[in-house]
C-alpha cells in the first residue's frame, strides 16, 4: 500500500534537515548548573516574545502544566477549569496525585464556543470563603482549546474572564500548547495573548516540529519556584541545548507557516463535511484541528468512531477517534496540499 497519511496529531512531526543542522551545531553546557547558553537563549527569547520576565524549558507540555500548578498552589487547594481541559482530561490526574489539588469545573454554557468560559460562569463556580470548602487558588484556560475543536479564545472574553479571575484573588494559567496557532488565527502577537495570564505554557513539539520540549513562561518568582520543582520531578536536563536549538530554530522559521496548516484544515473540513459519513459544521474549524462528527447513518451502518478509525487506517489514513461519535484529523508541518488531497481521496473511496 502507499505510505499512510498521518493526521493523528501535530506531535508526529519530525525535525526538518535544517532543524537537525541547528541542533548538531548547538553550543551546550550543563543546564542544571545554568551554564547551557542555548537553553538560556531559548528561555530569554521566549520570555521576551510573551512579554514576561522569565521562562523555563521543560520536557513536555504535561510537565509545564504540572509545574504551573505546583508553583501556584498548595496541597488541598482548588483549581477551577473546564471539564474538557487537557489538565483534567489527559495528564494522568497529576493535579491530584502530585500537586494534591482538587478541580471544580467551570462551564461554557453561555458561550457559543466549546471551552470558552465567561466571567459569569467563573463567578457561578466560585464558592464563598467557608471552612467547608477547599481554597480556590488557580484558574486555568486552554488556548487553543484542544477538545473544544482547536477553537481560539476571543480577545474580549479572554480579557474579561481573566480580569475577573484576578479580581477574585485567583492566579491564572493558560495551557498554551497550541498558543502559536491561536496567535496566528487571531492575528495578534503572543504577548497580547499572555498579557492577562500569570503563567502560560507553550509546546515546541507540536505544530512547530521540534522533537521534544515545552516552555513555562511567567514572572521571575513563579518561574524560580517552577525550576526547583522541575528538578524535584526529575526534569532537570543537562546538555539540553541540543533540544533548545531546535526550539530556537522553530521559533525563527516555523511560526509564520502555521497559516498553511490552518488553511489545509479548513479545506479538509469543507471536503469531509460533504461526505455522507460525516455530519458537522466545517466553519467550526478555526485552526489546525478538525473534529469531524460521524453521521448517525455512518455509525449505524458500520460502527462508532473507533471502528471507523480502524477502517480509515486500513485505507491509508491515520487519525484518532476522539469519542464514540467524533474523529479528529490534525494538519501539520509534515503534510502538504497534495497529501491532504490524497487523504480526502482515500477517505472518499472508503
Ligand atoms: C499536547 C497538549 C499538552 C501537553 O502534551 P505533552 O504531550 O505532555 O507535551 C498540553 N495541553 C494541551 C492542550 C495539549 O494539546
Amino acid at each position: 500500500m502507499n505510505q499512510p497519511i498521518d493526521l493523528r496529531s501535530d506531535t508526529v512531526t519530525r525535525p526538518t534537515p535544517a532543524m537537525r543542522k541547528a541542533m548538531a551545531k548547538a553550543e551546550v553546557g550543563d543546564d542544571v548548573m545554568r551554564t547551557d547558553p542555548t537553553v538560556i537563549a531559548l528561555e530569554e527569547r521566549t520570555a521576551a516574545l510573551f512579554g514576561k520576565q522569565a521562562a523555563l524549558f521543560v520536557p513536555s507540555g504535561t510537565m509545564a502544566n504540572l509545574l504551573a500548578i505546583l508553583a501556584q498552589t498548595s496541597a488541598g487547594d482548588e483549581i477551577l477549569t473546564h471539564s474538557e481541559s487537557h489538565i483534567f482530561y489527559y495528564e494522568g490526574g497529576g493535579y491530584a496525585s502530585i500537586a494534591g489539588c482538587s478541580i471544580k469545573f467551570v462551564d461554557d454554557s453561555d458561550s457559543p464556543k466549546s471551552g470558552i468560559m465567561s466571567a459569569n460562569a467563573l463567578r457561578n463556580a466560585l464558592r464563598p470563603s467557608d471552612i467547608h470548602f477547599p481554597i480556590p487558588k488557580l484558574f486555568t484556560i486552554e488556548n487553543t482549546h484542544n477538545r473544544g475543536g482547536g477553537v481560539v479564545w476571543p480577545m474580549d472574553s479572554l480579557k474579561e474572564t481573566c480580569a475577573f479571575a484576578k479580581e477574585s484573588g485567583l492566579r491564572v494559567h493558560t495551557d498554551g500548547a497550541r498558543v502559536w496557532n491561536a496567535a496566528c488565527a487571531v492575528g495578534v502577537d503572543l504577548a497580547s495573548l499572555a498579557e492577562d495570564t500569570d503563567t502560560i505554557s507553550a509546546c515546541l513539539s507540536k505544530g512547530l516540529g521540534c522533537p521534544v520540549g515545552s516552555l513555562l513562561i511567567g514572572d521571575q518568582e513563579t518561574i524560580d519556584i517552577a525550576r526547583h520543582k522541575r528538578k524535584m520531578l526529575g526534569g532537570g536536563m543537562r546538555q539540553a541545548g541540543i533540544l533548545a536549538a531546535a526550539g530556537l530554530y522553530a521559533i525563527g522559521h516555523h511560526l509564520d507557516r502555521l497559516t498553511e496548516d490552518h488553511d489545509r484544515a479548513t479545506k479538509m473540513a469543507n471536503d469531509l463535511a460533504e461526505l455522507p459519513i460525516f455530519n458537522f459544521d466545517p466553519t467550526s474549524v478555526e485552526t489546525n484541528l478538525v473534529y469531524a462528527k460521524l453521521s448517525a447513518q455512518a455509525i449505524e451502518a458500520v460502527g462508532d468512531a473507533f471502528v471507523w478509525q480502524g477502517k480509515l487506517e486500513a485505507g491509508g489514513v491515520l487519525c484518532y477517534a476522539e469519542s464514540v461519535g467524533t474523529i479528529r484529523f490534525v494538519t501539520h508541518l509534515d503534510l502538504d496540499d497534495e497529501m491532504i488531497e490524497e487523504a480526502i481521496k482515500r477517505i472518499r473511496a472508503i
Side-chain angles (χ1 to χ4, degrees):
M1 197 185 63
N2 294 330
Q3 276 286 101
I5 296 168
D6 200 342
L7 292 145
R8 287 173 301 175
S9 178
D10 39 13
T11 57
V12 301
T13 50
R14 281 151 305 177
T16 61
M19 182 183 281
R20 283 176 186 256
K21 209 174 265 176
M23 294 171 75
K25 62 172 206 240
E27 230 186 289
V28 296
D30 184 324
D31 182 54
V32 174
M33 298 177 187
R34 298 297 286 144
T35 57
D36 186 304
T38 311
V39 173
I40 291 171
L42 174 66
E43 290 176 345
E44 285 178 352
R45 176 91 193 270
T46 319
L49 264 181
F50 285 84
K52 302 278 186 212
Q53 291 171 340
L56 181 69
F57 184 47
V58 296
S60 68
T62 299
M63 192 185 284
N65 286 335
L66 179 59
L67 290 173
I69 294 169
L70 283 171
Q72 298 176 96
T73 63
S74 305
D77 287 343
E78 181 177 80
I79 299 167
L80 290 113
T81 192
H82 191 265
S83 60
E84 298 285 319
S85 67
H86 198 278
I87 284 175
F88 174 70
Y89 210 96
Y90 288 123
E91 299 183 6
Y95 66 87
S97 68
I98 301 175
C101 290
S102 57
I103 281 189
K104 184 141 193 328
F105 296 140
V106 181
D107 74 36
D108 56 11
S109 55
D110 58 359
S111 160
K113 293 204 253 181
S114 176
I116 310 302
M117 299 164 279
S118 68
N120 206 37
L122 178 57
R123 184 180 291 115
N124 290 337
L126 271 172
R127 291 173 286 184
S129 174
D130 180 302
I131 57 163
H132 291 86
F133 306 140
I135 299 168
K137 264 303 166 54
L138 181 67
F139 174 56
T140 81
I141 67 167
E142 207 173 291
N143 202 10
T144 67
H145 195 262
N146 180 352
R147 288 183 62 84
V151 295
V152 182
W153 273 72
M155 285 309 281
D156 51 346
S157 310
L158 183 70
K159 291 216 164 292
E160 196 185 321
T161 307
C162 293
F164 177 74
K166 288 196 183 173
E167 280 164 34
S168 311
L170 299 170
R171 296 281 292 186
V172 180
H173 171 65
T174 301
D175 176 352
R178 295 188 181 84
V179 67
W180 325 100
N181 297 84
C184 168
V186 185
V188 297
D189 58 23
L190 294 158
S192 306
L193 287 182
E195 198 178 344
D196 304 289
T197 189
D198 295 300
T199 53
I200 184 164
S201 56
C203 190
L204 296 168
S205 70
K206 287 187 172 156
L208 300 197
C210 297
V212 181
S214 276
L215 291 139
L216 179 66
I217 306 135
D219 60 276
Q220 190 69 53
E221 193 185 338
T222 306
I223 297 303
D224 287 346
I225 299 169
R227 189 178 296 281
H228 180 235
K229 306 279 186 192
R230 182 188 68 173
K231 189 75 184 77
M232 178 191 82
L233 293 176
M237 299 177 287
R238 303 295 179 175
Q239 283 72 42
I242 290 185
L243 300 172
L248 280 167
Y249 180 86
I251 288 170
H253 297 86
H254 292 171
L255 285 182
D256 292 341
R257 63 155 303 285
L258 289 173
T259 50
E260 288 179 33
D261 294 345
H262 297 182
D263 291 346
R264 288 182 187 124
T266 300
K267 172 175 173 38
M268 226 185 140
N270 287 333
D271 288 359
L272 293 180
E274 287 184 0
L275 301 179
I277 67 162
F278 293 114
N279 179 19
F280 71 104
D281 175 10
T283 64
S284 63
V285 171
E286 297 183 17
T287 55
N288 66 326
L289 309 182
V290 179
Y291 279 93
K293 203 166 165 280
L294 288 167
S295 62
Q297 189 190 348
I299 294 174
E300 201 180 279
V302 175
D304 65 18
F306 296 92
V307 176
W308 275 102
Q309 178 189 315
K311 273 191 92 67
L312 294 169
E313 185 180 334
V317 178
L318 307 184
C319 55
Y320 269 143
E322 178 258 355
S323 62
V324 288
T326 303
I327 297 181
R328 189 182 82 161
F329 300 93
V330 184
T331 58
H332 54 72
L333 180 64
D334 290 3
L335 298 172
D336 58 21
D337 289 333
E338 276 153 46
M339 291 158 98
I340 297 293
E341 285 287 357
E342 175 63 23
I344 292 162
K345 209 174 98 191
R346 290 180 189 179
I347 296 168
R348 196 174 282 135
I350 294 159

